């Protein structure tokens, strides 16, 4: 694998593939059972071969880890379980040497209760400037057990906890060990501007902003409607989410990042009730990207996907921002499992991934999805760590199941995660989903991801937009992105695909009846039958998980195929390159022969 400095291409972030590393669970170099920065550094060549442009690294700062690092006690220090600042510098240098950028995860909505500021606030008492950095409110002597409003913690239970002396409440939208900062206080602004500079000076390429929609609270902290329960992964309006005032914060941050060379970016985790509201975070003087979770929430149905795709494209075009596409992350059930699990879930997941990689914009990949990992649903209560599980008395199972450490080898301690076991147990059958088991194996999910990501890389600059082809039905759709045609079959029946291109470039499941004839579309997706011998996206079958890559002489086809039964529908996806465009070649295999694309 060749090493290359990060690309100098302007606005790399408009069509990047960004891989989320969850530091606790990626790779453990020091054998303490928990991942670390040196573990990440040692696996950078793996990420380079996968073809990703950047890493989004979930929080690695000093933290008691009550919410897996989203409870920061020192924003300028590394969590000792993960290493130190020298380890960070080494990791960043290695990533850059391999052409991979690094986006840090900034947590500005709340600190840890172990943060110096919060400790000082508790020590200083009511009315102090220290308490003014957070949201403290007096306990009402007439109703001492009634919190200041009805807000509920997103992790369950009330969003207010009393101080030990019982005189005041403090606000925490998440765990009680994550007090919310008061962004009406100029000191909070100054501190975070300084934190931004600290990491920018150290060379990070940008920030993912945690709860970017939550920092400003509605004036007077009014009750929410209903019982006050708001889900983190939801679109309900609340007096503590998506308040207009957050945009003023980002207008002060944008000039700071612009001072630095290297096209650095902000990406918002902003849950809003519409794609229109999300786009407001992306105005030219605010943030560069915002995660679009619509496909995380969408059922695997053609119409739902199409609706979400159209909304994102239309709204982001209005502000000149790239679309983002996400299927999995550390907060949601892995998409293989969401789509039904097993072979069917995996086939759908691969098809959905290739669909994403055919869309204009930025694609986020969550660690382990390239191995086809499923959600681990049967973790025993005693190993769970997610505060959601505890704050709901186990009623909500929480997010540990998508955070189980990665399997790197078939055997050995923790399947190669590290020499000291893994902080969450891995299912035995992950041995066959390990990197070792999938590396270089035709048809493996890993080789499929490598081919699909590298194929997309080769299209860089050629994807111009999205034009729907034909009259999309309920079960399938096709679109042209300016560089290729992509056809997806979401249904449980094969659909004919002749006419959308001449050859298939990539398929998540091989086409029935081989290659494609040229010519105008033959009616897909209205006719499910097709004529005998016509190429068809298949129903589910053993061909499902196989990746097919074709060499194309003068036009390019990209194909993704999956399937499902009537009750557990399957999907297929195919796309081709437009003949008038450039030529591409794609093959899979060892690093030297790994998916190679050429214009
Ligand atoms: C969103 C993060 O993705 C999640 O993991 C965390 O628990 C909350 N924000 C609170 O920081």
């Amino acid at each position: 694998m060749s090493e290359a400095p990060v690309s100098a291409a302007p606005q790399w972030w408009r069509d990047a593939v960004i891989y989320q590393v969850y530091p606790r669970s990626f790779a453990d170099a020091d054998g303490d059972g928990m991942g670390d920065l040196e573990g990440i550094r040692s696996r950078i060549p793996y990420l380079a071969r996968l073809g990703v442009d950047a890493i989004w690294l979930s929080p690695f700062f000093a933290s008691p880890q009550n919410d897996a690092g989203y409870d920061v006690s020192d924003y300028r220090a590394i969590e000792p379980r993960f290493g130190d600042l020298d380890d960070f510098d080494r990791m960043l240098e290695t990533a850059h040497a391999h052409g991979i950028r690094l986006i840090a995860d900034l947590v500005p909505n709340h600190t840890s209760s172990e943060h110096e500021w919060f400790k000082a606030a508790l020590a200083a008492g009511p009315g102090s400037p220290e308490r003014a950095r957070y949201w403290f409110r007096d306990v009402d002597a007439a109703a001492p057990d009634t919190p200041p409003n009805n807000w509920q913690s997103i992790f369950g239970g009330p969003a207010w906890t009393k101080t030990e002396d019982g005189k005041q409440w403090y606000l925490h939208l998440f765990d009680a060990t994550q007090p919310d900062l008061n962004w009406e206080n100029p000191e909070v602004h100054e501190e975070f501007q300084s934190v931004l500079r600290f990491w920018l000076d150290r060379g990070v390429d940008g920030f993912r902003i945690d709860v970017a929609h939550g920092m400003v609270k509605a004036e007077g902290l009014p009750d929410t409607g209903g019982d006050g329960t708001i889900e983190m992964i939801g679109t309900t309006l609340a007096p503590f989410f998506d308040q207009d005032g957050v945009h003023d914060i980002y207008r002060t941050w944008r000039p700071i990042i612009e001072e630095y060379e290297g096209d650095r970016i902000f990406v918002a985790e902003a849950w809003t009730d519409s794609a229109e509201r999300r786009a407001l975070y992306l105005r030219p003087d605010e943030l560069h990207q915002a995660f679009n979770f619509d496909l995380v929430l969408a059922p695997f149905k053609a119409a739902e996907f199409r609706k979400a795709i159209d909304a994102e494209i239309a709204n982001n075009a209005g502000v000149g921002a790239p679309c983002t596409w996400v299927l999995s992350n550390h907060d949601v059930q892995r998409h293989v499992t969401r789509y039904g699990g097993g072979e069917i879930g995996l086939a759908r997941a691969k098809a959905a991934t290739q669909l994403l990689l055919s869309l204009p914009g930025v694609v986020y990949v969550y660690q382990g999805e390239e191995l086809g990992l499923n959600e681990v649903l049967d973790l025993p209560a005693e190993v769970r760590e997610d505060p959601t599980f505890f704050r709901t008395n186990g009623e909500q199972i929480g997010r540990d199941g998508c955070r189980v450490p990665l399997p790197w080898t078939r055997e050995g301690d923790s399947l190669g995660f590290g020499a000291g076991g893994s902080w969450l147990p891995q299912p035995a059958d992950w041995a066959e989903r390990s990197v070792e088991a999938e590396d270089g194996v035709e048809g493996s999910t890993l080789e499929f991801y490598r081919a699909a990501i590298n194929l997309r890389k080769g299209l860089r600059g050629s994807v111009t937009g999205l034009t729907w082809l034909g009259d999309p039905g309920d079960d399938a759709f096709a679109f042209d992105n300016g560089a290729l045609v992509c056809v997806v079959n979401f249904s449980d029946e094969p659909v004919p695909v002749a006419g959308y291109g001449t050859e298939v470039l990539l398929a998540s499941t091989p086409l029935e009846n081989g290659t494609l004839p040229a010519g105008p579309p033959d009616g897909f997706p209205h006719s499910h039958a097709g004529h005998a011998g016509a190429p068809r996206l298949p129903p589910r079958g053993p061909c499902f998980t196989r990746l097919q890559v074709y060499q194309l002489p003068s036009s390019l086809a990209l194909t993704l195929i999956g399937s499902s039964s009537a009750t557990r529908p399957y999907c297929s996806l195919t796309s081709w390159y437009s003949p008038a465009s450039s030529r591409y070649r794609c093959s899979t295999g060892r690093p030297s022969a790994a998916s190679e694309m050429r214009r």
Side-chain angles (χ1 to χ4, degrees):
M1 197 223 47
S2 64
E3 296 197 357
V6 289
S7 148
Q11 305 214 312
W12 62 276
W13 45 273
R14 288 188 171 272
D15 57 1
V17 175
I18 302 181
Y19 183 97
Q20 181 188 357
V21 170
Y22 195 66
R24 293 167 70 96
S25 305
F26 189 68
D28 173 22
D30 66 6
D32 67 352
M34 191 163 283
D36 46 45
L37 299 184
E38 176 55 22
I40 298 167
R41 195 195 63 76
S42 72
R43 301 291 183 178
I44 297 278
Y46 167 82
L47 296 178
R49 187 170 161 202
L50 189 59
V52 303
D53 301 291
I55 295 168
W56 149 31
L57 186 54
S58 283
F60 47 85
F61 316 104
S63 157
Q65 301 283 308
N66 288 325
D67 184 21
Y70 285 94
D71 48 324
V72 180
S73 53
D74 184 346
Y75 289 86
R76 296 177 184 80
I78 304 290
E79 165 56 28
R81 279 167 272 203
F82 298 156
D84 58 22
L85 281 169
D86 288 340
D87 294 323
F88 177 83
D89 290 342
R90 268 195 299 276
M91 179 197 62
L92 183 60
E93 196 185 330
T94 306
H96 283 169
H98 284 73
I100 295 177
R101 289 177 156 89
L102 189 125
I103 295 171
D105 204 327
L106 188 72
V107 188
N109 179 67
H110 45 266
T111 68
S112 160
S113 52
E114 295 297 310
H115 191 281
E116 286 308 320
W117 272 11
F118 195 71
K119 291 199 277 190
L122 291 183
S128 61
E130 286 84 355
R131 287 210 177 179
R133 294 167 176 152
Y134 295 90
W135 293 99
F136 282 90
R137 288 291 179 270
D138 286 342
V139 168
D140 179 351
D145 293 326
T146 309
N149 63 25
N150 75 341
W151 296 2
Q152 297 294 299
S153 156
I154 281 120
F155 292 158
W160 295 91
T161 292
K162 271 189 214 166
T163 52
E164 248 177 43
D165 60 11
K167 290 187 178 155
Q168 285 203 306
W169 300 93
Y170 67 89
L171 174 69
H172 53 88
L173 290 183
F174 296 90
D175 191 53
T177 61
Q178 295 167 291
D180 276 51
L181 285 162
N182 177 2
W183 277 85
E184 289 176 9
N185 186 331
E187 266 190 79
V188 175
H189 288 255
E190 281 158 29
E191 170 63 3
F192 275 88
Q193 291 178 10
S194 154
V195 168
L196 289 176
R197 288 185 189 284
F198 178 87
W199 291 105
L200 288 167
D201 287 341
R202 250 190 147 85
V204 303
D205 299 287
F207 300 92
R208 176 257 188 196
I209 306 167
D210 187 62
V211 201
H213 57 312
M215 287 132 81
V216 171
K217 277 66 180 176
E219 204 178 329
L221 311 183
D223 280 356
T224 61
D227 65 0
T229 308
I230 301 289
E231 285 174 0
M232 175 166 65
I233 296 152
T235 54
T236 321
L237 286 172
F240 44 80
F241 278 166
D242 196 27
Q243 300 296 307
D244 288 338
V246 289
H247 300 289
D248 297 335
I249 300 173
Y250 303 131
R251 291 197 183 98
T252 64
W253 287 10
R254 182 68 180 244
I256 294 175
I257 210 165
E258 298 287 348
E259 283 172 27
Y260 288 80
E261 285 181 352
D263 216 2
R264 309 190 199 193
I265 64 160
F266 290 117
V267 51
E269 183 216 22
W271 294 89
T272 60
D273 72 331
S274 67
E276 285 99 317
R277 290 289 304 180
R278 187 165 61 237
L280 297 180
Y281 291 74
L282 302 173
R283 288 173 287 193
D285 57 349
E286 296 193 39
L287 308 175
H288 301 76
Q289 300 175 4
F291 293 128
N292 158 21
F293 297 115
D294 294 355
L295 294 179
V296 171
L297 301 174
F300 199 81
K301 290 186 171 21
E304 303 279 350
F305 265 59
R306 188 180 153 137
K307 195 169 108 199
I309 291 167
D310 279 342
E312 172 77 353
I313 291 177
N315 287 294
N316 287 19
V319 286
C323 301
T324 64
W325 310 107
V326 180
L327 293 168
S328 283
N329 66 30
H330 67 294
D331 288 330
V332 300
Q333 194 175 75
R334 285 186 176 275
H335 63 286
V336 167
T337 304
R338 274 201 330 267
Y339 294 157
E343 283 205 355
I344 290 171
L346 180 59
R348 286 167 157 183
K350 287 164 70 178
T353 296
Q354 195 169 340
L355 160 61
L356 261 57
L357 289 166
S358 309
L359 293 170
V362 183
V363 177
Y364 278 84
V365 173
Y366 176 49
Q367 67 178 35
E369 65 170 85
E370 77 278 15
L371 302 173
L373 297 187
N374 54 293
E375 183 84 3
V376 182
L377 297 168
D378 58 357
L379 290 169
E382 59 272 19
V383 302
R384 290 191 178 274
E385 294 205 4
D386 185 352
T388 315
F389 182 75
F390 301 105
R391 289 185 62 89
T392 62
N393 293 321
E395 224 170 84
Q396 279 182 42
I397 194 170
R399 302 160 293 173
D400 292 305
C402 63
R403 300 172 175 182
V404 174
L406 294 193
W408 292 92
T409 56
R410 277 203 171 93
E411 286 167 7
D413 259 352
S414 64
L415 303 175
F417 170 66
S422 75
W423 67 280
L424 286 172
Q426 300 148 307
D429 66 0
W430 277 18
E432 288 314 310
R433 304 216 183 128
S434 63
V435 174
E436 182 185 33
E438 297 197 23
D439 187 24
V441 175
E442 191 190 351
S444 72
T445 308
L446 177 58
E447 291 303 338
F448 168 75
Y449 266 73
R450 284 175 176 162
I453 292 172
N454 283 292
L455 171 59
R456 178 193 162 91
K457 262 186 140 170
L459 300 177
R460 186 150 282 159
S462 329
V463 174
T464 52
L466 184 146
T467 309
W468 295 105
L469 300 177
D471 186 9
D474 292 338
D475 297 335
F477 58 53
F479 61 85
D480 185 336
N481 68 13
L484 54 81
V485 173
C486 169
V487 184
V488 191
N489 180 4
F490 291 78
S491 79
D492 58 350
E493 298 292 334
V495 293
V497 291
Y500 281 106
T502 52
E503 299 240 22
V504 176
L505 180 71
L506 179 62
S508 61
T509 303
L511 282 176
E512 289 183 355
N513 304 321
T515 54
L516 302 168
D522 65 356
F524 163 82
H526 301 298
S527 156
H528 275 178
H531 57 81
R536 306 191 304 172
L537 300 180
R540 71 199 151 91
C543 55
F544 235 35
T545 55
R546 229 177 125 231
L547 164 69
Q548 264 192 350
V549 180
Y550 299 82
Q551 282 202 358
L552 303 177
S554 61
S555 65
L556 175 146
L558 167 67
T559 302
L560 263 157
I561 303 175
S563 68
S564 69
S565 69
T567 44
R568 304 168 74 192
Y570 64 89
C571 55
S572 303
L573 186 151
T574 307
S575 46
W576 295 266
Y577 196 65
S578 308
S581 310
S582 317
R583 286 189 303 155
Y584 293 90
R585 196 159 67 81
C586 185
S587 60
T588 56
R590 296 277 160 202
S592 55
S595 304
E596 179 197 332
M597 303 291 308
R598 199 175 56 211
R599 284 203 69 173

